[in-house]
């Protein structure tokens, strides 16, 4: 490329007079940018968006800012979105900017990318070969985005970096998604990100519009909107261009014609100086922009037309091949175009672009249809003859675009398919989908002999191994649909994916005169299950069942194994049991027979979880540990992360929360190092659950809050809300718990209920109703959950729910409102207890706790049973439950009389735990019981009993005691007044005082609290 660089370098010094030498206006906007630079230099990342119509001066403002940044020793990297006709190159501005950083900071960038070169090579091929062996999935793009943000943060750790991304109106979908991710997650480093876009191009259906709306909601992003120049600013601009004060008539004429657009001002001035402007000239934009091009020599005009059709930038060597001019003639033509400020040599010295995209668009629009096709054919032929004419990461996409616009379907289809593979390898799934849809459009126009020479692409997961030999079987239209369906799902276009799958099913159902293709049908049904579940329209089982029927009785295949694996996975989270276990075992067997190890490992992971649920915990855990190690060795990152998720979850299900936490922390370390942000969400959800069990409530809150802001998937965010709701209930923050429960319900949706989500939500709902004294709502919530049942493996959710229900019944004992329906409620609790497993020590402790609460609910307070419960909890790490049991045991000991020192010690331990956890309701219960029993919570009771104290520690007067008894009995204010011979208004005042002293919000809650603390006992 040395000759190319020399040829470009020859023209970089050519004088260009039309650019205004004086920077006019924009003082406030430049101040905003420089202020952002100062903040970034202090360590606070900055993000800015610059919008304005074409020609208004966005680039000039950015150039002034870049000069200021360079003067302050900042490292500047510029990247622009590349347009090739109507096509955008995936990640083009980021690739260009990273390439610039690689040139400026080669050692630093290599160090920042260390260990992740294979992944980051998707953006910057110079880093090496793409090194992942993992099947492509929803995590692939998120991983690439996370690693990119981390790379920039590392580079900006000890230097100020300015990242400029121009022309977002041309950005491809992958670039838009990466930019949104960068703006949302950039938290560290001395970095300024500036992005610009052409505002007048953003019509209602423009793909950039949703991104701009999303970014508007981020308070961390500052928007700069550039308006047109005023007449005074146009006069200053003219003074700079002409190097003299313009007369008023000229200012008026230029201002009226340009309407204050800075670029049009320059064009009008230069055209006038060159004698091109006449009174008869049309005011249309197109004529204004073309008038100077038409004054160029013929060869220069020809070169301008070639460059206009080649894309945003055209390499010199490619331009030489397409123009077919002698080198001297080409250089002279370029010199004329550069001298007229129509074309510019790009900064890297390897090609040319139009000075302004408006001129390029006008020249391109002026081409005749046949001329445009001919130029694109020349570009394609030149690139096929010498692929080295363009960068490797751009080659496939540009060749596909050139052949497509040359209207040569036979040449375009293979090129488009190759480009789709290239974009897939870069995790640019939206661009892959667009290319595959273009291939579908071309399909019928391609001759049969060309189509028969094409071979299936083996990327749509298990779809290609459907009983045919990919080496000899021609590509089918169904293969394109399969690829497109997966690409649409991976880029988040689930509605489009569903339409494609339905189209494939119609084709499969309408094929006559030949054998049916049950494997392909089964694959599409499985894909449809994923899509329907992702859209929240069903749980996906109907589609899975159809796929199972289609493969039943067929020889083993990868598709068969995948269908069985999906069925087993569905059963694991919905209906774990013998049928799901058998599906998982067959999936493992079939995958081994066809040597599909990734499918086998996924099936073994599901099988391990089902084995734990079926009563073989050690065998199941061993299988999952093996999968974790094997997937890590093979580089199957997604499955390795899933192994950590499942292991942590199953250990927690067995009550081995400390081990679960260790596995989760190891999984987080792995996921963070590989940029698996979505997997981090699932692992953190499990981590928060184990932390909550272990009494690490502050850590639980931090993990849940991280998930709220950084979680990628809805369900982990739902788990974060659920954990925060559980925390709030335990800490007595009912309003917060209600709000978080609503968030959890919304995140989980209503179309795909899973016990692991529905049972804990029912528990929170029940606890909130119990705290408010709404025993009828408690019973309704529990009955609804009990009707759905407790499948095998759900005891971790079932036991806490049953415990909450029986505790509410025990607390409501003696309430008149609770009497009706109590026998049925307690009978239902007993039936549910019989269905829950107690194999693990922690669930044995819960079983004893439930039994003790049943005794309390039936007025059979037994210190012996509570002592057994305390001993059981002491053997497992459940500090909150242990504190509750100690409180109950102390209550039972005091009720039985004697053993005051033992009761006092239990209350002190319980109180210390409640204070440490911030469990306000438990702390208050303990303090009230200690006060009633005249026991000290600060020092051991070694002396004589404390003097009698007012047992009413809430400060209730005798009259208020009497009113409270009637409130607990369900009396209205009028009935209370009649019974106590007082005025109704006086009764209302007493009730208000009682609610205030008890710290409750309603009569039912006051009655429940009074009975729970035995405030009404004589």
């Amino acid at each position: 490329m040395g000759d190319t660089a020399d040829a470009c370098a020859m023209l970089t010094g050519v004088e260009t007079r039309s650019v205004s030498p004086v920077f006019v206006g924009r003082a406030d906007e430049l101040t905003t940018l420089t202020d952002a630079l100062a903040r970034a230099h202090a360590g606070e990342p900055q993000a800015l968006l610059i919008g304005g119509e074409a020609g208004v001066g966005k680039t000039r403002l950015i150039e002034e800012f870049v000069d200021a940044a360079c003067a302050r020793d900042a490292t500047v990297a510029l990247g622009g979105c590349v347009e090739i006709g109507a096509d955008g190159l995936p990640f083009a501005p980021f690739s260009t900017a990273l390439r610039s950083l690689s040139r400026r900071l080669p050692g630093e960038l290599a160090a920042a990318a260390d260990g992740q070169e294979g992944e980051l090579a998707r953006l910057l091929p110079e880093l090496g070969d793409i090194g992942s062996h993992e099947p492509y999935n929803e995590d692939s793009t998120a991983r690439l985005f996370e690693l990119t943000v981390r790379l920039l943060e590392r580079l900006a750790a000890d230097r100020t970096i300015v990242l400029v991304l121009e022309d977002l109106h041309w950005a491809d979908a992958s670039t838009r998604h990466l930019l949104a991710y960068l703006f949302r997650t950039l938290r560290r480093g001395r970095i300024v990100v500036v992005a610009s876009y052409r505002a007048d191009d953003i019509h209602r259906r423009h793909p950039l519009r949703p991104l701009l709306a999303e970014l508007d909601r981020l308070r961390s992003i500052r928007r700069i909107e550039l308006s047109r120049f005023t007449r005074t600013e146009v006069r200053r601009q003219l003074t700079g261009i002409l190097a003299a004060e313009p007369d008023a008539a000229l200012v008026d004429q230029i201002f009226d014609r340009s309407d204050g657009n800075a670029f049009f001002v320059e064009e009008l001035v230069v055209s006038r100086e060159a004698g091109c402007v006449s009174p008869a000239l049309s005011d249309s934009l197109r004529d204004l922009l073309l008038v100077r091009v038409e004054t160029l020599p013929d060869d220069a005009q020809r070169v301008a037309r070639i460059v206009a059709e080649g894309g945003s930038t055209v390499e010199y060597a490619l331009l030489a091949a397409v123009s077919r001019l002698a080198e001297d003639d080409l250089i002279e033509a370029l010199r004329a175009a550069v001298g007229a400020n129509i074309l510019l040599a790009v900064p890297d010295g390897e090609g040319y672009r139009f000075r302004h995209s408006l001129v390029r668009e006008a020249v391109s629009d002026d081409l005749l249809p046949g001329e445009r096709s001919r130029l694109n054919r020349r570009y394609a032929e030149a690139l096929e003859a010498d692929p080295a004419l363009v960068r490797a990461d751009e080659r496939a996409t540009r060749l596909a675009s050139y052949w497509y616009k040359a209207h040569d379907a036979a040449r375009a289809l293979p090129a488009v398919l190759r480009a789709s593979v290239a974009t897939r390898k870069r995790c640019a799934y939206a661009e892959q989908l667009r290319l595959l849809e273009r291939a579908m459009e071309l399909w019928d126009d391609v001759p049969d002999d060309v189509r028969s020479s094409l071979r299936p692409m083996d990327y749509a997961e298990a779809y290609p191994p459907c009983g045919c030999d990919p080496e000899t079987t021609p590509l089918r239209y169904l293969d394109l649909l399969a690829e497109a369906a997966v690409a649409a799902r991976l880029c988040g276009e689930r509605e489009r994916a569903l339409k494609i799958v339905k189209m494939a099913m119609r084709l499969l159902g309408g094929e006559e005169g030949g054998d049916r293709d049950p494997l392909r049908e089964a694959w599409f049904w499985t894909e449809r299950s994923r899509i329907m579940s992702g859209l929240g329209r069903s749980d996906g089982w109907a589609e899975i069942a159809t796929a199972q029927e289609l493969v039943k009785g067929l020889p083993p295949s990868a598709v068969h194994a995948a269908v069985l694996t999906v069925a087993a996975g569905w059963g694991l989270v919905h209906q774990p049991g013998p049928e799901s276990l058998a599906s998982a075992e067959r999936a493992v067997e079939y995958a081994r027979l066809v040597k599909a190890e990734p499918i086998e490992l996924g099936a073994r992971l599901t099988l391990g979880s089902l084995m734990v649920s079926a009563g073989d915990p050690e065998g199941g855990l061993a299988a999952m540990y093996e999968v974790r190690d094997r997937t890590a060795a093979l580089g199957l990152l997604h499955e390795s992360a899933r192994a950590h998720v499942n292991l942590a979850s199953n250990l927690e299900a067995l009550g081995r929360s400390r081990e679960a936490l260790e596995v989760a922390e190891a999984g987080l370390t792995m996921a963070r190092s590989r940029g698996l942000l979505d997997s981090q969400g699932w692992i953190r959800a499990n981590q928060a659950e184990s932390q909550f069990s272990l009494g690490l409530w502050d850590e639980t809150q931090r993990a849940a809050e991280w998930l709220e802001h950084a979680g990628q998937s809805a369900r982990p965010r739902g788990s974060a809300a659920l954990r925060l709701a559980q925390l709030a209930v335990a800490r007595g923050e009912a309003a917060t718990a209600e709000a978080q429960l609503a968030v959890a319900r919304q995140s989980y949706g209503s179309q795909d209920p899973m016990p692991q989500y529905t049972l804990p939500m029912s528990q929170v709902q029940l606890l909130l109703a119990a705290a408010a004294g709404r025993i009828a709502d408690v019973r309704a919530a529990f009955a609804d959950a009990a009707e759905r049942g407790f499948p095998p493996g759900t005891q971790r959710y079932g036991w806490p729910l049953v415990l909450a229900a029986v505790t509410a019944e025990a607390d409501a004992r003696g309430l008149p409102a609770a009497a009706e329906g109590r026998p049925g409620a307690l009978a239902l609790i007993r039936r549910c207890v019989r269905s829950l497993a107690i194999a693990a020590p922690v669930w044995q402790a819960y079983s004893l706790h439930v039994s003790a609460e049943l005794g309390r609910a039936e007025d059979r307070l037994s210190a012996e049973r509570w002592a057994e419960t305390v001993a059981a909890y002491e053997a497992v790490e459940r500090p909150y439950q242990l504190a509750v049991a100690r409180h109950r045991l102390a209550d039972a000991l005091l009720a039985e009389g004697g053993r005051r020192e033992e009761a006092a010690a239990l209350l002190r331990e319980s109180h210390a735990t409640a204070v440490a956890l911030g469990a306000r309701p438990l702390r208050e219960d303990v303090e009230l019981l200690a006060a009633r029993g005249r026991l000290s919570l600060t020092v051991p009771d070694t002396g004589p009993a404390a003097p009698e104290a007012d047992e009413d520690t809430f400060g209730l007067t005798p009259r208020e005691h009497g009113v409270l008894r009637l409130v607990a009995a369900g009396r209205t204010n009028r009935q209370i007044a009649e019974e106590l011979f007082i005025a109704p208004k006086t009764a209302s005042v007493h009730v208000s005082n009682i609610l205030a002293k008890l710290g409750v919000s309603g009569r039912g809650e006051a009655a429940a609290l009074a009975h729970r603390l035995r405030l009404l006992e004589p």
Side-chain angles (χ1 to χ4, degrees):
M1 300 290 285
D3 294 340
T4 299
D6 293 343
C8 293
M10 292 171 62
L11 303 180
T12 55
V14 175
E15 181 182 5
T16 56
R17 295 183 53 250
S18 63
V19 177
S20 306
V22 176
F23 182 64
V24 177
R26 315 299 189 209
D28 291 342
E29 292 85 351
L30 186 59
T31 299
T32 299
L33 289 166
T34 53
D35 175 67
L37 181 66
R39 289 171 178 266
H41 190 73
E44 181 184 349
Q46 300 291 300
L48 302 100
L49 276 174
I50 301 176
E53 68 178 10
V56 80
K58 300 182 294 296
T59 299
R60 184 59 187 275
L61 173 63
I62 288 173
E63 289 173 351
E64 292 293 322
F65 170 60
V66 166
D67 288 344
C70 291
R72 300 185 188 185
D73 296 325
T75 301
V76 179
L78 289 85
C81 298
V82 176
E83 185 188 28
I84 308 173
D87 304 330
L89 285 174
F91 304 120
F94 286 98
S95 296
T96 302
L98 290 177
R99 192 170 285 117
S100 174
L101 289 173
S102 180
R103 286 195 296 267
R104 289 174 169 80
L105 306 168
E108 293 87 343
L109 189 136
D114 185 41
Q116 308 299 338
E117 293 88 349
E119 296 288 345
L120 291 168
R122 303 180 199 279
L123 290 182
L124 186 60
E126 289 88 337
L127 287 174
D129 295 330
I130 297 173
S132 176
H133 301 288
E134 182 173 26
Y136 294 85
N137 52 58
E138 288 88 343
D139 227 13
S140 302
T141 303
R143 182 168 71 247
L144 175 62
F145 289 2
E146 176 68 9
L147 292 176
T148 303
V149 173
R150 192 175 306 158
L151 174 74
L152 292 172
E153 288 180 341
R154 288 173 178 171
L155 284 172
D158 53 6
R159 67 182 59 79
T160 303
I161 288 181
V162 175
L163 181 67
V164 179
L165 308 171
E166 295 191 275
D167 299 325
L168 288 185
H169 48 280
W170 288 331
D172 59 283
S174 296
T175 293
R176 295 194 300 270
H177 296 159
L178 176 51
L179 181 65
Y181 186 88
L182 175 63
F183 279 161
R184 284 197 311 268
T185 61
L186 191 61
R187 296 289 181 269
R188 297 183 298 275
R190 295 160 49 182
I191 185 168
V192 182
V193 182
V194 180
S196 69
Y197 65 95
R198 191 191 289 180
D200 49 330
D201 272 9
I202 312 303
H203 50 77
R204 286 182 60 191
R205 299 180 64 85
H206 194 285
L208 186 63
R209 194 178 184 92
L211 173 62
L212 295 176
E214 177 186 349
L215 297 181
D216 272 339
R217 293 190 290 269
L218 297 179
R219 289 178 294 178
S220 58
I221 297 176
R222 284 188 271 184
R223 293 282 294 270
I224 298 176
E225 296 291 339
L226 298 186
S227 58
R228 295 178 179 180
F229 281 164
T230 63
R231 185 184 184 283
T232 300
E233 289 169 330
V234 168
R235 181 184 61 77
R236 291 177 56 200
Q237 184 183 9
L238 290 173
T239 302
I241 295 173
L242 300 173
E245 187 74 24
D247 58 51
L250 177 61
V251 173
D252 290 340
Q253 180 188 14
I254 297 295
F255 180 69
D256 291 342
R257 294 284 297 278
S258 68
D259 200 18
N261 184 289
F263 177 66
F264 296 162
V265 170
E266 293 179 352
E267 290 299 299
L268 285 166
V269 171
V270 175
S271 296
R272 177 180 177 278
E273 292 291 298
C276 301
V277 175
S278 68
L281 179 65
S282 166
D283 284 336
S284 75
L285 169 63
R286 180 175 170 275
D287 287 347
L288 172 63
L289 298 178
L290 287 176
V291 64
R292 288 200 301 115
V293 176
E294 292 169 351
T295 64
L296 293 174
D298 289 345
D299 282 351
Q301 290 189 49
R302 178 182 174 189
V303 167
R305 288 193 291 272
I306 293 171
V307 173
E309 194 58 24
S312 299
T313 299
V314 178
E315 296 78 357
Y316 173 79
L318 180 60
L319 180 59
V322 174
S323 69
R324 301 177 183 176
L325 290 171
E327 186 171 19
D328 289 345
D329 294 338
L330 175 59
I331 290 176
E332 285 305 312
L334 287 168
R335 185 179 296 279
V338 172
N341 211 23
I342 303 297
L343 297 180
L344 295 176
V346 295
D348 61 11
E350 294 186 0
Y352 292 88
R353 63 175 177 85
F354 276 83
R355 178 191 160 233
H356 202 286
S357 58
L358 285 172
V359 181
R360 179 175 67 82
E361 292 163 12
V363 174
S364 179
D365 289 345
D366 197 47
L367 294 173
L368 298 173
E371 185 179 15
R372 179 174 286 107
S373 298
R374 180 171 55 84
L375 283 177
N376 276 284
R377 176 175 290 277
R378 284 192 181 179
Y379 271 113
E381 290 171 344
L383 197 49
E384 281 193 342
D386 185 1
L389 292 175
V390 302
R391 287 194 179 94
D393 56 317
E394 299 181 10
R395 189 178 303 140
T397 302
R398 290 176 66 174
L399 185 60
S401 179
Y402 293 145
W403 277 125
Y404 178 77
K405 289 185 290 183
H407 303 294
D408 188 333
R411 306 289 289 275
L413 180 59
V416 166
L417 292 175
R418 287 192 294 271
S420 76
V421 173
T423 54
R424 177 194 62 81
K425 288 181 177 179
R426 301 185 70 186
C427 299
Y429 301 122
E431 285 61 53
Q432 180 195 9
L433 174 61
R434 176 180 54 76
L435 287 163
L436 289 168
E437 289 180 326
R438 180 166 287 180
M440 292 153 60
E441 170 197 335
L442 293 167
W443 185 263
D444 289 336
D445 296 329
V446 175
D448 289 341
D449 61 324
V450 174
R451 289 207 304 255
S452 64
S453 68
L454 300 173
R455 292 292 174 264
M457 298 170 289
D458 57 340
Y459 311 115
E461 299 170 3
Y463 173 75
C466 290
C468 62
D469 181 3
E471 297 297 324
T472 59
T473 305
L475 180 76
R476 298 167 60 182
Y477 190 73
L478 278 170
D479 298 314
L480 292 183
L481 293 176
E483 292 293 332
V486 173
R489 174 168 57 82
L490 293 180
C491 73
E493 295 284 345
R494 291 192 178 95
E495 290 287 359
R496 181 61 184 144
L498 184 59
K499 289 180 181 178
I500 293 169
V501 168
K502 287 180 177 179
M503 186 190 308
M505 289 176 167
R506 286 194 297 271
L507 288 175
L508 284 164
E511 288 182 348
E512 299 178 358
D515 295 332
R516 290 194 62 184
D517 195 339
L519 285 177
R520 278 182 166 80
E521 287 186 65
W523 185 90
F524 277 110
W525 277 109
T526 305
E527 189 67 18
R528 182 167 175 167
S529 170
R530 292 179 180 177
I531 296 166
M532 293 294 286
S533 178
L535 288 169
R537 294 182 185 168
S538 77
D539 61 8
W541 176 248
E543 292 79 8
I544 295 171
T546 302
Q548 284 185 293
E549 285 298 317
L550 286 165
V551 299
K552 186 179 293 184
L554 296 179
S557 68
V559 172
H560 201 156
V563 169
L564 291 170
T565 300
V566 171
W570 187 94
L572 173 64
V573 296
H574 292 89
Q575 296 176 357
E579 188 174 340
S580 300
L581 186 67
S583 290
E585 289 172 339
R586 290 200 309 274
V588 172
E589 178 187 355
Y590 281 28
R592 283 176 177 166
L593 286 171
V594 298
K595 295 181 172 56
E597 189 172 13
I599 297 176
E600 178 199 338
L601 290 168
R604 284 172 60 193
L605 191 56
T606 300
L607 177 60
S609 295
L610 288 165
M611 289 169 65
V612 172
S613 298
D616 182 11
E618 297 308 320
L621 291 173
M624 286 186 279
Y625 276 116
E626 289 175 5
V627 172
R628 182 196 64 177
D629 296 341
R630 180 60 179 162
T631 52
L634 293 175
L636 299 175
L637 304 180
H638 182 73
E639 284 300 318
S640 181
R642 183 172 161 245
H644 284 90
V645 172
N646 286 19
L647 270 168
S649 178
N650 280 278
L651 286 165
E652 179 65 26
L654 295 168
R656 293 156 63 171
S657 301
R658 187 64 63 180
E659 292 177 64
L661 195 57
E662 292 172 359
V663 168
E665 288 171 351
L668 282 174
T669 300
M670 185 277 290
R672 278 194 296 262
S673 69
R674 305 311 296 264
L676 300 171
L677 192 66
D678 194 50
S679 295
Q680 283 187 61
W682 292 97
I683 297 172
R684 276 193 186 272
N686 288 341
Q687 177 193 44
E689 183 178 6
S690 296
Q691 289 169 333
F692 185 73
S693 297
L694 293 168
L696 304 172
W697 286 8
D698 291 339
E699 291 87 341
T700 302
Q701 182 151 352
R702 285 194 291 272
E705 288 172 348
W706 182 93
L707 268 173
E708 278 189 309
H709 297 99
Q712 297 289 294
S713 298
R715 283 174 178 157
R717 290 198 302 272
S719 296
L722 180 57
R723 211 63 59 215
L724 291 171
Q726 290 174 324
L727 267 175
V729 166
R731 286 174 164 169
E733 301 162 357
T736 300
E738 291 275 11
Q740 292 293 348
L741 181 59
V743 172
R745 284 189 175 126
Q746 183 179 12
S747 298
Y748 292 141
S750 59
Q751 297 299 315
D752 188 12
M754 300 180 189
Q756 61 183 319
Y757 305 135
T758 57
L759 291 175
M761 286 193 295
S762 295
Q763 181 203 3
V764 173
Q765 180 184 356
L766 192 155
L767 288 169
L768 285 168
R774 303 192 312 268
I775 191 63
D777 292 342
V778 168
R779 290 169 180 168
F782 184 70
D784 182 60
E787 185 179 356
R788 292 194 297 267
F790 303 96
T794 60
Q795 63 271 10
R796 70 200 275 194
Y797 314 114
W799 277 117
L801 176 61
V802 170
L803 178 60
V806 72
T807 300
E809 292 293 344
D811 288 343
R813 180 181 55 83
L815 282 175
E820 185 178 355
R822 173 184 292 275
L826 293 178
L828 178 59
I829 288 171
R830 283 193 166 90
R831 285 200 301 272
C832 291
V833 165
R834 287 194 292 271
S835 69
L836 290 170
I838 56 172
V842 68
W843 310 127
Q844 293 169 9
Y846 266 87
S847 175
L848 289 170
H849 195 163
V850 168
S851 176
E853 288 289 4
L854 276 169
R856 192 167 68 93
E858 296 171 338
D859 204 15
R860 294 183 288 104
L861 195 60
S862 168
E864 182 180 353
R865 178 51 56 94
W866 282 113
E868 291 175 358
T869 304
V870 168
Y873 277 131
E874 286 175 338
V876 295
E877 264 191 295
R878 290 294 184 273
Y880 176 72
Q881 288 75 15
L882 176 59
V884 170
R886 283 171 171 163
H887 166 248
R888 295 292 183 215
L889 175 56
D891 191 9
L893 291 174
L894 291 174
E896 292 179 358
R899 302 171 69 179
R900 290 175 51 78
E901 291 184 8
E902 185 179 348
L906 289 165
L907 288 177
R908 279 194 292 274
E909 290 175 312
S910 181
H911 188 263
T913 300
V915 170
L917 295 177
R920 180 177 60 80
L922 175 60
R923 174 179 59 78
E924 291 176 349
D925 285 355
V926 171
E927 290 170 353
L928 287 167
L929 180 58
R932 286 180 58 248
R934 300 180 300 281
L935 300 173
S936 171
L937 293 174
T938 56
V939 295
D941 274 358
T942 55
E948 285 284 337
D950 182 2
E951 290 193 17
D952 184 6
T953 57
F954 286 98
L956 297 178
T957 66
R959 171 63 79 183
E960 286 169 346
H961 258 293
V963 172
L964 179 57
R965 288 179 186 278
L966 295 174
V967 167
R971 303 290 198 275
T972 65
N973 286 350
R974 182 171 296 279
Q975 290 169 330
I976 292 171
E978 291 173 353
E979 191 161 337
L980 296 180
F981 303 102
I982 58 178
K985 186 174 182 180
T986 303
S988 175
V989 171
H990 282 313
V991 171
S992 297
N993 289 339
I994 290 168
L995 297 181
K997 290 180 178 181
L998 296 182
V1000 295
S1001 58
R1003 301 165 77 95
E1005 195 174 345
L1009 180 65
H1011 276 279
R1012 188 172 81 245
L1013 301 180
R1014 298 208 289 274
L1015 297 178
L1016 305 178
E1017 293 181 1

